[in-house]
Amino acid sequence: MSRQTYYITTPIYYPSDDLHIGHAYCSIAADTMAKYKRMRNYDVYLLTGTDEHGQKIERVARERGLEPQEFVDGMVVKIKDLWELMHVDYDGFIRTTDPQHVTAVQEIFSKLYEKGDIYEGVYEGWYCTPCESFWTESQLVDGLCPDCHRPVEKTSEKSYFFRLSKYEERLKDLFREQKDFVEPASRANEMINNFLKAGLDDLAVSRSNFSWGIPLPFDPDSIAYVWVDALCNYITALGYPNEPEKFDHYWPADVHLVGKEIMRFHSLIWPALLMALELPLPKKVFGHGWLLFEGGKMSKSKGNVVDPVILVERYGLDAIRYFLLREFPFGSDGNYSTEALLKRSNSDLSNDLGNLLSRVVAMITQSFPEGFPSEKDFAELDAELTQMADGTAVKVEKHFEKMEFSLVLEAIWRLIGQSNKYIDLTTPWILAKEEASRPRLAAVLYTLADVLRRVSVWISPFMVYTPEKMREQLGISAAGAEIEEELSSWDSAAKAGLYQDDFRVQKGKPLFPRIDVEAELAAIEKLDLS
């Protein structure tokens, strides 16, 4: 029986400058979801990549004395290095300059042109080069781009248009009948109220006043509009239209994960293009919020970005990945601050998780260094904690399926907090003083070790190194690869009592050493985090 597929995509990033923590936020979320689905035995395909054409890229490259291809080649190396550092374990990386993508986009344009869904005309209006977006006069806000609020340029040029208006009613039906096509619901409402209700104009899909792009097969003097070129990546990366095997296997996408500022392209224009191509639509487009810094969206032009490489070097990858998906509800905007990152690391990771593991391992080492005895005196308190862990398993899966990452972690950390309280209620340090209490002590420490085993599995999609460190200290890793693989599987976390009596714990370094927040904030004031 073949495994169920799960195809998840990030936006393909525009490599006009180094990526910042806001870009990493999206990719880490997609990677976390992919890791979770892999642990559930899905056949996962995580796609990311780079959107390398357009007027902005051409201008930036020329300003740096480089040819556009030379410029983007260098940027892609840095982006791939960043995803390796962040452990974004993608299955496919597409570049819009890849020859197979170029050929596929030309074939797509030919299909739409021959069908009559693309026609020749003249575009007169406003163009935002940073966003590579066309805007009408009525869509401008105070004469500026409604997305990035920067100046736009008046342009008049020969252009080919896609009959977007032809698919307006089908798009309205889509939003009306498939309520979860666009999430969160607030994003769907924006698309309906701001665009569909006003009516859709045909879309200019070519440029003719610069050359850095894909030449149209029926007019080599025109190039594909960068957004149409970019949107096609989700199917060309799977071999469409000439290599159907992978495409037929993974398409339609289960979720396109994108920033909220590009929802119009993904939830209106992209579905209309797929309708025109007579292809199935993606199951979901999820628009996450922005990471805000000092009150505004992170942007290189504003000089308010944060370099993820520096953060990882100073605080560790797992702390960064945890913070980004715990601090803010996914889908909403979140205010980034390094102080919040440090406090979250100290409270959740050092105090709660790290301290719990350290206390449990130390007590087992002291009382049962050779492993647990078979005789254990379990009580109601033990059953209550185990039942809470069973309930956590249900909550974790429920929230994961909705990409409610902060709620997944909240449920796990509620169990961790209760485990620390359980230690205070059961007083194992007192039980350890009396030989007659050893069966009761064994039950208490066994219950804690088994909960920690389960926690190490649930945090695995979020954290790269911590789960393995936990299993090492709990003595699971030393039991052999086969046992470790079994006890690190997703299914094992749903079951209580799988921790084995003969595991021998090993005291290790603190998972997350405490940080002197005041001293660290003073130190980073002297650094350039951008």
Side-chain angles (χ1 to χ4, degrees), residues 342-370:
L342 299 178
K343 289 182 176 179
R344 178 69 74 175
S345 180
N346 276 351
S347 64
D348 293 14
L349 302 180
S350 179
N351 289 1
D352 294 343
L353 177 60
N355 190 46
L356 176 63
L357 178 69
S358 180
R359 293 171 78 186
V360 171
V361 168
M363 289 187 289
I364 296 175
T365 300
Q366 183 176 15
S367 297
F368 304 106
E370 302 300 317

Side-chain angles (χ1 to χ4, degrees), residues 57-75 212:
I57 291 288
E58 186 176 66
R59 286 183 180 178
V60 171
R62 303 295 185 206
E63 288 169 1
R64 301 189 185 185
L66 300 171
E67 290 299 314
Q69 188 67 58
E70 181 184 9
F71 171 72
V72 294
D73 286 348
M75 293 302 297
W212 181 238

Side-chain angles (χ1 to χ4, degrees), residues 164 167-197 200 263-272 275 281-282 284-286:
L164 182 61
Y167 297 94
E168 180 179 316
E169 290 305 316
R170 287 183 63 181
L171 288 168
K172 288 179 178 178
D173 290 342
L174 171 65
F175 276 74
R176 187 163 43 243
E177 296 168 6
Q178 193 172 325
K179 299 295 186 183
D180 60 350
F181 174 66
V182 169
E183 289 188 337
S186 58
R187 307 275 183 261
N189 292 333
E190 289 170 6
M191 296 302 105
I192 294 169
N193 296 327
N194 297 347
F195 298 103
L196 286 175
K197 284 186 177 180
L200 299 176
M263 285 299 292
R264 178 173 69 102
F265 297 100
H266 284 82
S267 62
L268 298 176
I269 296 171
W270 179 227
M275 290 172 183
L281 304 187
K284 188 185 302 297
V285 179
F286 193 104

